[in-house]
């Protein structure tokens, strides 16, 4: 291009800068949207890879049902292509906070090389009694509080910990948990609320529950085939190696257990023999004591008999002596009487008769002799009585001795009886303890015999729910990028076609002059190609860099709702830049070439002459007289102009329709997502509070809670909620929460089960189930299909789907208690309480009161969950605002460009009506009325197009545990139309000054 042609081209750009800028802007918008959306996936993946690399996220994870020896990781570290291998411990635990609230946490041992946490608040642990916790589950205010192992943990879990209480010193994010999902468990309600990390010393465990490995992938990008192939190569030999290590540990553990059992059996035998010997000695001692006791008893009885016999003899002798004494005393009295008589007779005869006196004296002597004999007999009897008394004393002494002997015998008997009882008890205890110990040993032997061979799992990153979900979620942007940019590039091409076609037509005479002056067709073509190409190049430059920064940043902010991966890493893709440039050049220079080609093949004389106008045609409305005849002249002119220029008509309808469609889509996304929580917690889960009781609650504790609920709330329902896995047709599985009410007749007061059309759904009978509609749709489940559900406890259910219910947050499956009991053989564990809080002034007061009960584990207020979810959804405003800005920019550019062309084409017509006396407002109304007509038509088209575009976009947004209803509120349609007209009015205001600058003298100039 020569210097004169170059100057002409630059002058043309300056003089028609509005037209030039329109091409720049529309190309920048199209390229920005295309490159921004297309590079977003790469930027997100690049950001994730940087985050994973900085935190050394594992590539492979080994899990064994028997664990791994601690030296296995060290051995793996020395293997080829293994950067490092590190053993770790993890376990699901019930923890209690300072308020006694119980929560399920996944406790991990801190690792030195892999899965490094990122501190959000506080610091890392420095001792075994300190911990860091999940930043999503705990706020900064949790730092300084204490978490304690709950007494509801099983014995095996409790024995794994050397430390039972931990002080929180920080909150962290972990690449192991890249998104909000924390997994399921058999504890609590089946859901893990967060994670917790402690030093290895906090565990009392001499083995690793898992081993993490990082593999040398040669710098392959994550989610790429090269990365997957590198991992697959290592997996091939790693699974065999891990199985070998697990088998060796299994055999050693089994042998050690068998050896310990043998030692315990020998110890039991020895202890039993020792006990039997001790009992035998005790039995011999008891037998000897029994002989001695019997001998003592015999001697006692002999002594007692002798004593009784002696007593009898003495008593008889005493009686005889007393009788003899009595007789002697009687004889003595008789003798004394005789002596008295003899004395009297002697006194009478002493002087009278010597013979009588002598006889009296002889009688006296005889009586004196008898008295002496009687006195002697009495003395002898007294002596005998004294001897008897002495013998009685001796018998009393012997009797006391016998009583002492009896007491000694009784004491000996009691001691013997106690010894006999102790002996019998010892025999029973020995037999019982031996029997119990033998039973334990038999059970241990049975456990050893039943030890299953170990299962080994080699798990790559794709089994990590955060890593895998990020791959799926980031791919959504790519799907959207395949729709929006095409539309924008189409509009860009139409804008360029219209702009350059009009420019060539305007400069038809100048082209003829240039050809007449000898300029080649290439030189002339080059002028217009440079005009459009430079505009497209600048637009591509601005759009590529702007889009590559703005779109990833905004979308990354939206994805932070679900992921914690640090800041976005911007990516500039040269290949994408080249594609954008080629597309932009095709849209601009290609259309310019097509526009110029026809004119350049004409001869100069033909080009210099004005182009004959197209023949006028009647429009369809003119064939409807009762409508057409009632229209004003200016309205008829506007309608003719709108329908006369077909290219401009379709261009504006498409551009404005696209603007409206984008607005409808943006507002529709907001409606579909922002209302999810309200629909869930107001229209479906109609209860206000959900409470979870501890596993070991008693009936008495439940009665206390029930009494409080009856007094302070509007009602309650007792249900069982547990997590199970649904087996899918592709061989995979998905986790789902089961809802099993204790009383099926009352569940309608707490769950509003209805289908997509709002029709109520009857609660399923035995063997049936009701499933979430969106969960069923995503996983290819239909009504009538039989589902298989399993869990970690070995339960399995077979249920036929009878209906699909609406649900938006989490995935639920509803079944009757009979279905659970009949198929599992056990009653459901009803620990969850749904509380109806209608009429309750302060739900948090009820929450506080419920937490005061010892049996209560946790309480959740649905209003809090609703507020939290709504706060999270506010980040979607970024995307909505971005779409509105893009839509507004598109509308402004299209309307500005076409209005500018319209005014330029009709400058003589506008000048003429100004000469005829039209006021400025009338002139503007004459011109802009067409824009309003086209805006109305384009807006109407855009409403239908927006509904279809919204449906497609929502189909691409797939988030686990959350489903979105494809709804667009009437206000969204209204706002979209209003904003479209607002953009049109802004263009009209901008272009009003151009109308004012039109010189009326232009209408007097000859077209020549």
């Amino acid at each position: 291009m020569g210097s004169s042609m170059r100057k002409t081209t630059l002058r043309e750009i300056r003089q028609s800068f509005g037209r030039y800028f329109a091409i720049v802007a529309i190309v920048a918008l199209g390229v920005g949207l295309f490159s921004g959306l297309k590079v977003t996936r790469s930027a997100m993946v690049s950001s994730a890879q940087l985050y994973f690399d900085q935190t050394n996220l594992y590539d492979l994870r080994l899990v064994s049902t028997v664990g791994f020896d601690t030296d296995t990781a060290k051995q793996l570290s020395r293997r080829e292509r293994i950067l490092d291998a590190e053993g770790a411990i993890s376990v699901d635990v019930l923890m209690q906070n300072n308020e006694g609230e119980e929560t399920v946490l996944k406790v991990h041992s801190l690792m030195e090389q892999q899965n490094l946490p990122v501190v959000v608040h506080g610091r890392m642990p420095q001792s075994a009694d300190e911990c860091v916790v999940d930043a999503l589950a705990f706020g900064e205010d949790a730092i300084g509080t204490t978490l304690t192992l709950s007494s509801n943990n099983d014995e095996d879990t409790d024995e794994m910990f050397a430390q039972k209480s931990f002080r929180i010193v920080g909150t962290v994010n972990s690449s192991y948990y890249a998104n909000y999902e924390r997994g399921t468990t058999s504890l609590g309600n089946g859901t893990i609320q967060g994670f917790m990390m402690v030093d290895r010393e906090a565990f009392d465990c001499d083995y690793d529950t898992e081993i993490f490995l990082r593999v040398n992938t040669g710098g392959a990008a994550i989610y790429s085939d090269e990365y997957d192939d590198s991992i697959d190569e290592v997996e091939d030999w790693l699974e065999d190696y891990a199985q070998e290590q697990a088998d060796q540990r299994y055999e050693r553990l089994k042998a050690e257990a068998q050896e310990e059992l043998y030692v315990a059996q020998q110890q039991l035998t020895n202890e039993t023999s020792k006990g039997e010997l001790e009992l035998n000695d005790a039995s011999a001692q008891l037998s000897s004591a029994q002989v001695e006791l019997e001998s003592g008893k015999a001697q006692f009885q002999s002594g007692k008999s002798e004593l009784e016999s002696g007593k009898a003899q003495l008593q008889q002798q005493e009686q005889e002596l007393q009788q003899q004494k009595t007789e002697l005393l009687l004889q003595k009295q008789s003798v004394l009487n005789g002596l008295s008589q003899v004395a009297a007779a002697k006194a009478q005869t002493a002087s009278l008769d010597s013979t009588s006196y002598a006889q009296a004296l002889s009688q006296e002597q005889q009586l004196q002799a008898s008295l002496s004999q009687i006195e002697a007999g009495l003395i002898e009897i007294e002596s005998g009585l004294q001897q008897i008394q002495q013998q009685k004393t001796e018998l009393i002494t012997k009797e006391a001795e016998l009583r002492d002997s009896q007491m000694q015998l009784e004491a000996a008997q009691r001691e013997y009886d106690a010894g006999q009882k102790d002996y019998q008890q010892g025999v029973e205890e020995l037999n019982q303890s031996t029997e119990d110990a033998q039973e334990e040993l038999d059970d241990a032997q049975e456990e050893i015999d039943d030890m299953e061979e170990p299962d080994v799992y080699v798990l790559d990153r794709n089994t990590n729910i955060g890593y895998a979900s990020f791959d799926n979620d980031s791919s959504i942007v790519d799907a959207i990028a395949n729709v929006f940019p095409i539309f924008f590039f189409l509009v860009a091409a139409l804008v360029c076609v219209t702009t350059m076609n009009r420019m060539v037509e305007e400069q038809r005479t100048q082209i003829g002059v240039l050809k007449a002056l000898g300029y080649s067709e290439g030189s002339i073509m080059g002028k217009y190609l440079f005009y459009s190409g430079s505009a497209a190049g600048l637009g591509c430059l601005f759009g590529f860099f702007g889009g590559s920064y703005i779109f990833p940043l905004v979308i990354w902010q939206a994805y932070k709702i679900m992921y914690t991966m640090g800041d976005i890493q911007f990516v500039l893709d040269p290949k994408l830049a080249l594609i954008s440039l080629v597309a932009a050049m095709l849209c601009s220079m290609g259309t310019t070439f097509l526009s110029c080609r026809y004119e350049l093949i004409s001869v100069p004389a033909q080009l210099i002459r004005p182009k004959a106008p197209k023949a006028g045609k009647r429009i369809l409305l003119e064939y409807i007289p009762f409508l057409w005849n009632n229209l004003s002249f200016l309205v008829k002119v506007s309608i003719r102009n709108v329908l006369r220029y077909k290219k401009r008509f379709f261009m504006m309808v498409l551009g404005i329709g696209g603007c409206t469609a984008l607005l409808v889509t943006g507002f529709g996304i907001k409606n579909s997502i922002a209302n999810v929580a309200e629909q869930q917690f107001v229209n479906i889960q109609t209860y206000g509070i959900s409470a979870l009781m501890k596993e070991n609650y008693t009936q008495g504790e439940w009665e206390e809670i029930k009494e409080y609920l009856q007094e302070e709330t509007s009602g309650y329902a007792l249900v069982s909620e547990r997590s199970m896995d649904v087996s899918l047709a592709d061989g995979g599985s998905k986790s789902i929460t089961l809802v099993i009410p204790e009383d099926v007749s009352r569940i309608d007061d707490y769950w509003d089960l209805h289908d997509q059309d709002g029709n109520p759904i009857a609660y399923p009978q035995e063997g049936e189930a009701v499933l979430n509609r969106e969960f069923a749709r995503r996983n290819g489940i239909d009504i009538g299909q039989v589902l298989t559900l399993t869990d970690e406890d070995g339960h399995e259910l077979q249920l036929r789907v009878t209906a699909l219910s609406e649900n938006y947050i989490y995935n639920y499956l509803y079944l009757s208690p009979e279905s659970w009991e009949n198929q599992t053989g056990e009653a459901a564990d009803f620990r969850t309480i749904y509380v109806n809080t209608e009429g309750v002034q302060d739900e948090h007061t009820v929450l506080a009161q419920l937490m005061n009960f010892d049996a209560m584990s946790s309480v959740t207020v649905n209003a809090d969950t609703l507020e939290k979810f709504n706060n999270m959804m506010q980040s979607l405003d970024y995307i909505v605002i971005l779409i509105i800005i893009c839509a507004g920019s598109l509308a402004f550019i299209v309307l500005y460009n076409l209005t500018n062309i319209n005014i330029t084409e009709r400058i003589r017509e506008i000048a003429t009506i100004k000469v005829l006396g039209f006021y400025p407002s009338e002139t503007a109304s004459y011109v802009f009325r067409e824009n309003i007509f086209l805006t109305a038509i384009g807006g109407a088209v855009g409403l239908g197009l927006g509904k279809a575009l919204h449906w497609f976009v929502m189909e691409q947004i797939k988030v686990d545990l959350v489903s979105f209803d494809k709804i667009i509120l009437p206000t969204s349609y209204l706002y979209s139309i209003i904003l479209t007209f607002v953009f049109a009015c802004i263009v009209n205001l901008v272009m009003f000054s151009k109308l004012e600058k039109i010189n009326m003298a232009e209408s007097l100039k000859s077209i020549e």
Side-chain angles (χ1 to χ4, degrees):
M1 182 185 298
S3 58
S4 59
M5 187 64 73
R6 183 167 50 252
K7 291 179 181 179
T8 302
T9 304
L10 294 177
R11 187 183 301 115
E12 185 67 32
I13 292 175
R14 288 193 302 271
Q15 292 176 351
S16 60
F17 184 75
R19 180 188 298 165
Y20 186 82
F21 178 77
I23 298 176
V24 173
I26 196 69
V27 171
L29 193 59
V31 170
L33 196 64
F34 172 73
S35 61
L37 291 178
K38 277 294 186 183
V39 83
T40 295
R41 157 81 173 172
S42 299
M44 293 175 68
V45 171
S46 177
S47 303
Q49 179 150 16
L50 178 63
Y51 177 69
F52 293 152
D53 290 345
Q54 289 175 341
T55 57
N56 289 348
L57 179 65
Y58 73 97
D59 292 304
L60 289 169
R61 173 174 169 244
L62 304 182
V63 179
S64 165
T65 53
V66 296
F68 294 100
D69 294 330
T70 54
D71 60 346
T72 302
K74 297 178 182 178
Q75 296 174 12
L76 279 171
S77 297
R78 295 190 288 268
R79 296 296 294 263
E80 185 180 0
R81 296 194 58 193
I82 301 299
L83 295 177
D84 56 70
E86 190 171 358
I89 301 173
S90 66
V91 60
D92 298 344
V93 181
L94 288 167
M95 304 293 292
Q96 284 186 335
N97 60 16
N98 291 345
E99 287 74 31
E101 294 181 351
E102 199 170 71
T103 183
V104 182
L105 298 179
K106 186 85 166 183
V107 181
H108 295 269
S109 61
L110 283 166
M111 303 176 66
E112 297 180 357
Q113 299 174 325
Q114 299 184 49
N115 304 338
L116 305 178
V118 177
V119 176
V120 178
H121 299 107
R123 59 175 176 82
M124 293 296 291
Q126 297 175 353
S127 61
D129 63 344
E130 295 181 342
C131 70
V132 290
V133 292
D134 188 353
L136 286 183
F138 295 85
E140 186 177 3
D141 56 349
I143 297 177
T145 60
T146 301
L147 292 175
T148 305
L149 265 72
S150 170
S151 58
N152 293 322
N153 288 297
D154 58 41
E155 185 179 354
D156 291 338
T157 301
D158 191 69
E159 290 177 350
M160 289 184 67
F161 287 87
Q163 187 74 28
K164 309 299 183 183
S165 183
F166 302 89
R167 187 168 62 89
I168 300 176
V169 297
T171 62
V172 297
N173 291 327
S174 172
S175 55
Y176 188 81
Y177 297 98
N179 69 347
Y180 60 88
E181 194 59 50
R182 296 297 179 258
T184 59
T185 178
S186 60
L187 302 179
N189 62 357
T191 302
I192 298 176
Q193 276 81 37
F195 64 85
M196 166 181 163
M197 294 183 174
V198 298
D199 284 338
R200 179 69 182 245
E201 290 73 17
F203 288 95
D204 185 13
C205 197
D206 61 353
Y207 64 93
D208 296 326
T209 61
E210 54 196 351
I211 297 177
F212 294 94
L213 301 94
R214 287 197 307 132
V215 179
N216 184 1
T217 59
I222 58 175
Y223 305 123
S224 66
D225 294 337
E226 292 80 6
Y227 175 82
D228 292 338
D229 292 341
S230 298
I231 298 300
D232 290 341
E233 292 174 2
V234 176
E235 279 186 294
D236 293 339
W237 61 264
L238 186 59
E239 187 168 359
D240 295 335
Y241 177 83
Q243 187 67 56
E244 179 184 351
Q245 294 295 316
D247 289 341
Q248 291 177 3
R249 175 174 170 79
Y250 166 77
E251 295 296 338
R252 188 180 71 258
L253 290 176
K254 192 171 183 179
E256 290 176 353
Q258 194 67 58
E259 183 178 355
E260 291 178 2
L261 184 62
Y262 175 77
V263 172
Q265 185 69 61
Q266 293 299 315
Q267 185 177 359
L268 176 61
T269 303
N270 294 335
E271 292 293 334
T272 303
S273 299
K274 182 179 178 181
E276 289 176 348
L277 288 175
E278 292 176 354
L279 288 174
N280 290 336
D281 292 342
S283 179
Q285 292 175 3
L286 285 173
S287 298
S288 175
Q290 186 178 15
V291 171
E292 292 179 1
L293 184 60
E294 293 298 329
S295 175
K297 285 182 178 181
Q299 292 176 3
F300 172 76
Q301 290 298 330
S302 175
K304 185 177 181 181
S305 297
E306 289 177 1
L307 179 62
E308 295 295 333
S309 176
K311 280 184 177 182
Q313 290 176 2
L314 286 176
Q315 187 174 4
Q316 183 178 1
Q317 290 174 3
E318 186 179 14
Q319 288 177 355
E320 291 175 353
L321 288 175
Q322 289 292 346
Q323 185 177 1
Q324 291 176 5
K325 182 178 179 180
T326 301
E327 291 175 354
L328 287 175
L329 289 173
L330 292 174
Q331 290 175 6
K332 181 180 179 181
Q333 187 65 37
S334 177
V335 170
L336 290 174
N337 292 335
L339 286 174
S340 296
Q341 292 174 0
V342 169
K346 182 180 175 184
Q348 292 176 0
T349 61
S351 62
L352 297 177
D353 187 2
S354 60
T355 303
S356 295
Y357 179 78
Q359 289 178 346
L361 185 62
S362 175
Q363 287 179 349
E364 182 181 14
Q365 290 176 348
Q366 290 176 355
L367 289 173
Q368 285 293 338
S370 296
L371 182 60
S372 298
Q373 289 178 355
I374 290 172
E375 291 290 342
L378 287 172
I379 292 171
E380 186 178 351
I381 288 173
E382 288 295 334
S383 176
L385 288 174
Q386 288 179 0
Q387 289 178 0
I388 288 173
Q389 192 63 37
Q390 186 176 359
Q391 289 176 357
K392 278 187 176 182
T393 303
E394 291 177 357
L395 286 177
I396 290 173
T397 303
K398 288 182 178 181
E399 187 176 12
E401 291 177 355
L402 280 176
R403 282 198 299 270
D404 291 341
S405 298
Q406 184 179 13
M407 293 177 62
Q408 292 176 1
L409 285 173
E410 289 175 353
Q413 183 66 50
R414 288 194 299 271
E415 184 177 354
Y416 173 80
D417 292 340
Q420 187 67 30
K421 184 179 180 181
D422 290 342
Y423 172 77
Q424 292 299 330
Q425 186 176 355
V427 171
E428 292 176 1
E429 289 180 354
L430 178 62
N431 292 336
Q432 186 64 43
S433 61
T434 302
E435 183 180 348
D436 293 342
Q438 188 61 51
E439 185 176 354
E440 290 181 4
L441 292 176
D442 292 341
D443 291 342
Q445 183 63 58
E446 186 177 355
E447 289 181 5
I448 293 173
D449 295 337
D450 292 341
M451 283 181 64
E452 297 181 358
E453 294 186 358
D455 292 326
V456 172
Y457 304 94
V458 179
L459 308 175
D460 58 20
R461 287 182 177 179
N462 290 320
T463 60
N464 182 290
I465 203 164
Y467 179 89
S469 297
F470 187 79
D471 183 23
N472 296 329
D473 293 342
S474 59
S475 299
I476 295 173
V477 182
D478 268 350
I480 297 175
N482 294 329
V483 178
F484 282 90
I486 293 175
F487 178 75
F488 275 86
F489 274 123
L490 178 61
V491 175
L494 292 176
V495 168
C496 289
V497 166
T498 305
T499 302
M500 297 311 299
N501 188 49
R502 177 56 191 159
M503 181 178 177
V504 170
E505 287 182 359
E506 286 179 354
Q507 298 187 5
R508 173 186 174 89
T509 302
Q510 185 178 351
I511 293 173
V513 171
L514 290 174
K515 290 191 69 173
L517 292 175
Y519 284 92
S520 65
E521 293 181 1
S523 299
I524 301 171
M525 177 73 76
K527 170 185 176 180
Y528 298 101
L529 290 178
F530 178 80
Y531 185 95
S532 62
S534 61
L538 288 175
C540 182
L541 181 67
F542 296 145
F544 176 76
F545 286 101
S548 297
Y549 283 92
I550 295 174
F551 282 88
L553 178 62
V554 173
I555 294 175
W556 185 260
Q557 292 298 323
Y559 270 77
K560 278 188 174 181
I561 298 173
M562 299 175 291
Y563 295 93
T564 55
M565 292 188 181
D567 296 326
I568 185 69
Q569 300 297 313
F570 298 104
V571 173
L572 297 177
D573 189 349
K575 181 180 178 181
L576 193 61
L578 180 61
I579 294 174
S580 300
L581 182 61
V582 170
M585 291 305 175
L586 285 175
C587 290
S588 58
M589 299 179 71
T591 56
T592 301
F593 176 79
L594 294 176
S595 298
C596 293
R597 184 172 58 89
Y598 174 76
E599 300 295 342
L600 289 175
I601 61 176
S602 301
V603 296
Q606 185 178 355
L607 292 172
I608 293 173
R609 289 196 299 270
K611 190 175 182 179
K614 293 181 180 180
K617 295 182 181 180
R618 298 179 67 185
I619 61 175
L620 179 62
L621 199 59
E622 294 184 48
Y623 294 99
I624 309 176
F626 71 92
L627 288 178
W628 182 256
N629 293 335
N630 292 322
L631 297 177
S632 66
F633 171 76
L634 293 178
V635 172
K636 290 179 180 179
V637 171
S638 297
I639 293 176
R640 280 198 182 102
N641 288 334
V642 167
L643 299 178
R644 178 183 178 186
Y645 302 101
K646 301 292 191 301
K647 187 183 298 182
R648 182 165 64 91
F649 173 80
F650 287 112
M651 176 65 184
M652 289 195 71
V653 168
L654 181 59
I656 296 170
C659 161
T660 306
L662 286 172
L663 290 172
V664 170
T665 301
F667 286 117
I669 291 174
K670 180 73 172 176
N671 297 150
S672 299
I673 295 179
N675 294 331
V676 163
E678 183 174 354
Q679 293 182 48
Q680 180 70 30
F681 295 112
V682 175
N683 300 330
I684 296 177
Q685 291 177 246
T686 55
Y687 56 88
I689 292 178
S690 174
L692 178 67
M693 293 185 291
K694 296 178 180 177
E695 293 184 2
N696 59 346
Y697 75 91
T698 65
Q699 185 63 27
E701 291 172 332
W702 162 237
E703 292 295 334
E704 293 179 0
I705 297 173
K706 183 167 67 172
E707 182 179 356
Y708 170 77
L709 293 175
Q710 290 173 343
E711 293 177 356
E712 302 295 335
T713 68
S714 301
Y716 66 90
L718 200 59
V719 301
S720 173
E721 287 188 355
R722 59 188 303 123
S723 180
M724 295 190 77
D725 293 329
V726 180
S727 299
L728 304 178
D730 60 2
S733 64
K734 286 284 187 178
S735 178
I736 197 167
T737 299
L738 271 60
V739 176
I740 311 171
E742 184 184 42
D743 186 355
V744 172
S745 63
R746 298 176 55 195
I747 194 63
D748 290 342
D749 296 333
Y750 303 90
W751 280 90
D752 183 2
L753 298 182
H754 57 268
D755 61 17
Q756 188 175 7
D757 298 326
N759 300 316
I761 296 175
Y763 205 83
Q765 302 297 317
E766 198 278 324
E768 299 175 346
V770 172
L771 185 64
N772 295 166
R773 179 179 61 84
E774 189 65 18
F775 181 88
R777 188 185 69 82
R778 291 181 181 179
N779 297 289
I781 300 173
D782 299 320
I783 294 177
Q785 184 173 338
V786 176
L787 300 180
T788 300
L789 298 96
T790 57
D791 64 10
E792 295 179 354
D793 296 329
H795 298 126
E796 181 172 333
L797 299 175
Q798 298 283 335
L799 301 170
R800 183 173 62 87
V801 178
T802 58
L804 302 177
S805 66
E806 287 296 290
N807 197 80
Y808 302 100
I809 298 177
Y810 302 121
N811 297 316
Y812 292 100
L813 183 143
Y814 312 91
L815 70 155
S816 66
E818 292 78 14
S819 297
W820 174 267
E821 186 170 352
N822 293 340
Q823 296 197 36
T824 64
E826 60 184 50
D829 185 14
F830 298 107
R831 295 171 47 219
T832 301
I833 309 171
Y834 296 151
V835 182
N836 186 343
T837 57
E838 185 177 356
V840 175
Q841 292 184 352
D842 187 1
E843 293 179 336
H844 293 88
T845 300
V846 178
L847 180 148
Q849 291 297 327
L850 286 174
M851 285 307 304
N852 287 332
F853 291 102
D854 294 335
M856 199 59 63
S857 175
S858 63
V859 182
T860 303
V861 177
N862 282 353
D864 294 342
T865 307
L866 174 61
E867 182 180 2
K868 180 179 179 181
F869 196 90
N870 286 336
N871 291 336
M872 292 172 60
M873 289 298 104
Q874 286 180 356
S875 5
L876 289 172
D877 291 340
Y878 289 110
I879 296 179
V880 175
I881 292 172
L882 184 63
I883 292 176
I884 292 174
I885 292 174
C886 292
S889 301
L890 175 67
F892 184 85
I893 293 169
V894 171
L895 286 169
Y896 176 84
N897 187 60
L898 295 179
T899 302
N900 185 47
I901 292 174
N902 184 32
I903 293 173
T904 304
E905 287 178 342
R906 301 166 61 190
I907 192 168
R908 292 179 177 83
E909 176 186 353
I910 295 170
T912 300
I913 63 174
K914 291 180 73 173
V915 169
L916 293 176
F918 277 61
Y919 290 105
S921 59
E922 293 176 326
T923 305
S925 176
Y926 174 79
V927 175
F928 296 145
R929 185 183 296 111
E930 300 170 17
N931 287 354
I932 299 300
F933 286 164
L934 290 172
T935 300
I937 297 172
V941 172
L943 293 180
L945 183 61
K947 185 173 180 61
L949 186 60
H950 170 260
W951 182 90
F952 175 80
V953 171
M954 294 308 300
E955 278 294 306
Q956 308 307 311
I957 302 177
K958 297 178 181 178
V959 180
D960 286 341
L961 303 181
V962 179
S963 59
F964 303 107
D965 196 9
K966 301 178 183 65
I967 60 172
I968 304 175
L969 298 178
T971 53
S972 297
Y973 289 113
L974 180 62
Y975 293 154
S976 300
I977 289 293
I978 290 174
L979 285 176
T980 302
F981 276 95
V982 167
F983 295 142
C985 292
I986 292 174
V987 171
N988 290 343
L989 290 175
V990 172
M991 297 304 297
F992 182 79
S993 61
K994 185 167 185 176
L995 290 178
E996 287 294 296
K997 294 178 181 178
I998 294 178
N999 190 350
M1000 290 183 288
E1002 292 290 330
S1003 62
L1004 304 176
K1005 289 185 179 179
S1006 171
I1007 203 166
E1008 300 294 337

